[in-house]
Amino acid sequence: MTIQEAIQRTDELKPNAYTQDEKILWLSKLEWMIVRNIIRCHNGDQMDSFSGYNGGTDLDTVLIAPEPFDTMYLRWLEAQIDLANAEYGRYNASIALFTTEYNAYNEFYTSENMPKSKGAFVF
């Protein structure tokens, strides 16, 4: 899923008054969470070159999580919209759906990539 697809699909599912740039920054925050908390905790590509997104980012940029885990981006944007609207009941439901999908991606990524070794404890 690209940035543009995530924003467009979210706007269709949950019409809102937030700008494209705000949604890009929300997506950037999520991508940073994925890079820091999932990818960099495992061996392999550490995405050292990832620098986040902003209003100047190409909207055709492909987001990190592949199908079928990419729906987490929609749930994330929906939750951010609910939070910004101070609709806390809806936010709680949206963030719970997001968390389920985020955790599923984390489990998938962990099953496909070895966690970094912490080393042995030596006395």
Side-chain angles (χ1 to χ4, degrees), residues 10-97:
T10 300
D11 288 345
E12 290 168 359
L13 294 169
K14 191 177 206 74
N16 61 85
Y18 298 97
T19 68
Q20 178 173 282
D21 285 353
E22 289 170 310
K23 293 173 199 147
I24 290 170
L25 291 176
W26 289 335
L27 287 171
S28 184
K29 181 177 179 180
L30 173 54
E31 294 284 73
W32 271 116
M33 288 171 33
I34 292 170
V35 169
R36 281 192 211 116
N37 300 332
I38 299 175
I39 295 174
R40 290 188 180 162
C41 295
H42 295 81
N43 293 325
D45 181 15
Q46 297 301 296
M47 298 194 70
D48 292 330
S49 64
F50 182 76
S51 60
Y53 309 135
N54 59 44
T57 302
D58 183 355
L59 296 178
D60 289 327
T61 299
V62 176
L63 298 167
I64 295 170
E67 286 185 46
F69 307 102
D70 57 353
T71 55
M72 88 166 111
Y73 296 107
L74 307 180
R75 303 296 87 81
W76 174 256
L77 288 175
E78 291 169 357
Q80 299 312 300
I81 291 166
D82 292 337
L83 182 61
N85 287 339
E87 295 174 342
Y88 301 118
R90 289 182 182 197
Y91 169 78
N92 287 333
S94 297
I95 205 69
L97 291 170

